[in-house]
Amino acid sequence: MDSEDLMKLDQQFCFAVYACAREITKLYHPLLKDLGITYTQYITLLALWEKDRVTVKELGGRLYLDSGTLTPLLKKLEASGYVTRTRDPEDERNVLIELTEEGRALKLKACDIPAKLFEQAGASVEEILAVREQMTSLLHKIHIKNGREEN
Amino acid sequence: MDSEDLMKLDQQFCFAVYACAREITKLYHPLLKDLGITYTQYITLLALWEKDRVTVKELGGRLYLDSGTLTPLLKKLEASGYVTRTRDPEDERNVLIELTEEGRALKLKACDIPAKLFEQAGASVEEILAVREQMTSLLHKIHIKNGREEN
DNA sequence: TACAATTCAATTGTATAAAATTTAAATGGC
DNA sequence: GCCATTTAAATTTTATACAATTGAATTGTA
């Protein structure tokens, strides 16, 4: 492939992923609107439903987001009554995020979302699973690259 | 797979794509900073280097972005001297986007970026190409779904 | 030809993202 | 125990994204 072809939009791996991510988010929108949460809030709650009483740091590590994004988002979830934010008495630098009863209850209202999305995706389960494996593998590799300054 | 597993963060196809898209953008950052442009501006210029003198609508169709995102972005590219924005005399509703000489010249400075990124990706070319095909296919399918209100 | 419907870009309002800086708290030598 | 270093969260700044609305221009049609 010559340099001219490499510059074409349709040849860009990054663009396929970038545009796809945005379209997927839009696909979630009507379902999440019923619950009164945004996509990033949904992803954050998924992480908390698995394990809460975690620091912003740990949550950010799992979501690949930093405090600049999470702090305002968690304050919104707190204002909505789904989580609490309390300074860890053991180490006042840490803020512990915990689900409230309403936060836990929301999981039941959201539990059919993954199945609904799978159904809407318009692709076979096998295909989706295979691509997910590769995306996850690539995500880890790139995250490590981004973690180092050089290169 | 039971409903509990379907709710796990690592099982979410959407999250793999969403997080990967953000990490890829970060990977581009140091390269694009040298050129003084952002990732979305780079993608927009890729589209224009292929074909310019297009309306905001057409450009948005190729980039999967609407005027709410493109209008301020194109104004920045205009302020940087890379594009011009002129109302189409034939149909005053349309705004035509054209590259300036500097905008065209920037392509030469950017032409080694795709190769550099391929190198950094840490995955085989075959793997990247295969996943890109599937992401692109899925992108088209979901875009059509998002275009229709029902479903 | 009026004029309702449509189309396009811009605007408004809300919510992310991420780099860079700041502030407060804790830690590790000495 | 003092203080430089480190760490965590918050804040600041800049740049997307997108839904919804607005306003101007065009089109279809009676």
Side-chain angles (χ1 to χ4, degrees):
Chain A
M1 201 178 336
D2 68 21
S3 146
E4 191 62 29
D5 284 341
L6 281 171
M7 295 292 274
K8 286 196 194 305
L9 190 61
D10 287 348
Q11 297 292 325
Q12 308 304 312
F13 176 73
C14 66
F15 177 68
V17 178
Y18 160 73
C20 205
R22 286 186 286 111
E23 290 296 318
I24 291 174
T25 302
K26 279 190 223 172
L27 203 55
Y28 274 89
H29 189 256
L31 265 39
L32 296 176
K33 199 168 63 177
D34 293 345
L35 298 186
I37 56 176
T38 65
Y39 178 75
T40 313
Q41 289 168 12
Y42 169 69
I43 289 296
T44 302
L45 286 169
L46 279 182
L48 291 171
W49 287 327
E50 265 188 79
K51 177 167 183 278
D52 69 332
R53 199 177 168 76
V54 291
T55 65
V56 174
K57 185 80 172 177
E58 181 185 336
L59 191 56
R62 285 201 272 155
L63 297 169
Y64 298 84
L65 290 170
D66 68 7
S67 69
T69 302
L70 281 177
T71 295
L73 187 145
L74 291 168
K75 283 181 178 175
K76 274 167 207 149
L77 287 178
E78 186 183 36
S80 302
Y82 297 134
V83 305
T84 59
R85 298 163 59 251
T86 48
R87 288 279 166 186
D88 183 355
E90 306 281 310
D91 185 338
E92 294 269 353
R93 288 173 304 182
N94 295 325
V95 167
L96 293 175
I97 309 298
E98 285 181 274
L99 289 165
T100 61
E101 270 315 302
E102 297 87 61
R104 253 174 252 287
L106 196 62
K107 186 179 181 180
L108 293 176
K109 292 198 208 164
C111 68
D112 57 344
I113 289 182
K116 278 186 185 167
L117 258 289
F118 246 110
E119 191 185 315
Q120 279 193 31
S124 74
V125 174
E126 294 77 24
E127 187 184 0
I128 294 282
L129 287 181
V131 183
R132 195 201 64 207
E133 294 300 316
Q134 287 171 299
M135 295 300 292
T136 302
S137 156
L138 194 60
L139 169 61
H140 295 328
K141 283 183 200 166
I142 298 179
H143 184 62
I144 290 167
K145 290 249 182 224
N146 281 330
R148 294 182 295 144
E149 301 308 290
E150 74 280 22
N151 229 350
Chain B
M1 201 175 339
D2 68 22
S3 147
E4 191 62 29
D5 284 341
L6 281 172
M7 295 292 273
K8 286 195 194 302
L9 189 61
D10 287 349
Q11 297 292 326
Q12 307 304 312
F13 176 73
C14 66
F15 177 68
V17 178
Y18 161 71
C20 206
R22 286 186 287 112
E23 290 296 318
I24 291 174
T25 302
K26 279 190 221 172
L27 203 55
Y28 273 89
H29 189 255
L31 264 40
L32 296 176
K33 199 168 65 177
D34 292 346
L35 298 186
I37 55 176
T38 64
Y39 178 75
T40 313
Q41 288 169 11
Y42 169 69
I43 289 295
T44 302
L45 286 169
L46 278 181
L48 291 171
W49 287 328
E50 264 187 79
K51 177 166 183 279
D52 69 332
R53 197 175 169 78
V54 291
T55 65
V56 173
K57 184 82 173 176
E58 181 184 338
L59 191 55
R62 286 201 273 155
L63 297 170
Y64 299 84
L65 290 170
D66 68 7
S67 69
T69 302
L70 282 177
T71 296
L73 187 146
L74 291 168
K75 283 182 178 174
K76 275 168 207 150
L77 287 178
E78 186 183 37
S80 302
Y82 296 133
V83 305
T84 58
R85 297 163 58 250
T86 47
R87 287 277 165 189
D88 183 356
E90 304 282 309
D91 184 339
E92 293 270 352
R93 288 173 304 181
N94 295 326
V95 167
L96 293 175
I97 309 300
E98 285 182 274
L99 288 165
T100 61
E101 270 315 304
E102 298 88 59
R104 253 175 251 288
L106 196 61
K107 186 178 182 180
L108 293 177
K109 293 197 208 167
C111 68
D112 58 344
I113 289 182
K116 277 186 185 168
L117 258 290
F118 246 112
E119 191 185 316
Q120 278 193 33
S124 74
V125 174
E126 294 76 24
E127 187 184 0
I128 295 283
L129 287 180
V131 183
R132 194 201 66 207
E133 292 301 317
Q134 287 170 297
M135 295 299 295
T136 302
S137 156
L138 194 60
L139 169 60
H140 295 329
K141 283 183 200 166
I142 298 179
H143 184 61
I144 291 166
K145 290 251 180 217
N146 280 330
R148 294 180 296 144
E149 301 308 291
E150 74 280 23
N151 229 346

